[in-house]
Amino acid sequence: MKKVTLLLFLLMVGFVLAACGSEESGGGSESADGVQETTIKFSHVVAENTPKHQGALAMKEYIEAESDGKITVEIYPNSSLFGDQDEYQNLVSNNVQFIAPDLSKFVGNNPQFNVPSLPFLFDNDDEAIAFWDGEKGTEILGSLEADGVLGLKMWPNGGKHVTNNERAITSPADFKGLKFRTQGGQVLEAVYSTLGAGSESIPFSELYTALDQGVVDGQENTFSNIESKKFDEVQEFMTIMNHTRVDYAIFTNTEFWEGMNEETKAIVEAGVEEGTKVAREEALTLNEKALELIKERGEIEITELTPEQVEEFKTALEPIYEEFEEEIGADVYEAAREAAGE
Ligand code: LMR
């Protein structure tokens, strides 16, 4: 009798576990066509009218349609699930299956993620894409393997521009004594110290308030981030610099990625490709539109630099390359310069 009760109990436990399993990411129950019923979470920190969110949306639509709704992709924008401080750890723990952070936020894991912060390296998205799709870029994206994290594809946002509350910036000397928020990393810190300014790394979700309350005088970002987060409401001057970049990559948890069966993985992989295509196609247009909106709102005074003024900044920031050559690698510099057509 005891044995029968035990058997019944074990059967019940098995049934409950199987039912729970169908809710888990990458390990769900299979339908007739072999696709696993799965919920995938994609967390990011920016607003919805941005290249990153549009890429995530395209990925969601593709995956849900191709899997006949068996795979659900939940997107959490605006740091609503995880923010800059905790999204990586939660990817490592598989609490989220996709994140697409600004690569300069990963410099603590590998200083080579400083590439988007190297001054005036890439002129446009295509050059940055060529680097990250190339051998060195792919190697850097793959460098988080020990954490169980896989870098899949680079998604661009664009060149960064400087905003502040003190003065219109037209020359390196204008930076003196100001304090800027950065996304993080040794190279961005060096950019500001070279120009005689201070810097502090602040999470994106806290940036508007930090600017509003004067914790820092300014920040650097893409038009799309400045417009969608309304930083022009709390900043008086913007200089179009294009001196550094926001570039992302889409990262996943290796265990989740490898845990999918063939049919499921094929759909998710194709979804990542679709998201990549849209993010890459939309980045420039969304940034151009954002600049138009900022101009229309008229809240911020915009300065465009002359080619001579840009040269002055390039000369001032050139020593940064030598300073970081050992840490980032001469081979990475070479590959980046090649991608930049130099
Ligand atoms: C920032 O923190 O300013 C940006 O990196 C946010 C983002 O993901 O574009």
Side-chain angles (χ1 to χ4, degrees), residues 273-311:
E273 286 300 326
E274 186 60 24
T276 303
K277 192 169 133 252
V278 169
R280 289 180 177 189
E281 279 170 5
E282 294 288 308
L284 182 61
T285 318
L286 283 170
N287 274 296
E288 284 172 350
K289 273 192 198 150
L291 176 59
E292 286 317 306
L293 281 171
I294 295 170
K295 283 181 179 167
E296 269 169 38
R297 289 207 288 251
E299 303 249 21
I300 197 164
E301 184 184 312
I302 302 174
T303 301
E304 288 190 42
L305 299 175
T306 63
E308 293 74 29
Q309 287 169 329
V310 174
E311 277 314 308

Side-chain angles (χ1 to χ4, degrees), residues 14 25 32 38 43 59 77 81 149 155 163 165 277 305 330:
S25 300
T38 308
S43 173
M59 185 173 146
L81 184 62
V149 169
W155 289 12
T163 67
N165 260 339
K277 192 169 133 252
L305 299 175

Side-chain angles (χ1 to χ4, degrees), residues 45-46 52 84 102 105 181 183 204 221 225 246 248:
V45 301
V46 293
K52 181 156 50 183
D84 283 328
D102 179 338
K105 291 174 184 168
R181 175 268 180 177
Q183 284 82 358
F204 190 59
N221 235 309
N225 279 345
V246 171
Y248 313 115

Side-chain angles (χ1 to χ4, degrees), residues 77-94:
N78 293 306
S79 311
S80 56
L81 184 62
F82 302 118
D84 283 328
Q85 312 94 309
D86 56 0
E87 65 177 11
Y88 187 69
Q89 242 357 85
N90 278 288
L91 182 70
V92 170
S93 313
N94 200 20

Side-chain angles (χ1 to χ4, degrees), residues 29-40 58-74 256 260-272 274:
S29 66
E30 280 177 26
S31 57
D33 56 7
V35 176
Q36 291 161 293
E37 283 191 26
T38 308
T39 298
I40 295 170
M59 185 173 146
K60 170 185 169 72
E61 280 163 12
Y62 180 93
I63 293 173
E64 291 185 349
E66 288 300 309
S67 69
D68 284 330
K70 285 173 204 96
I71 310 174
T72 305
V73 181
E74 295 173 354
F256 152 74
M260 287 184 282
N261 69 17
E262 214 177 298
E263 293 82 352
T264 311
K265 194 170 175 189
I267 295 174
V268 176
E269 219 162 354
V272 170
E274 186 60 24

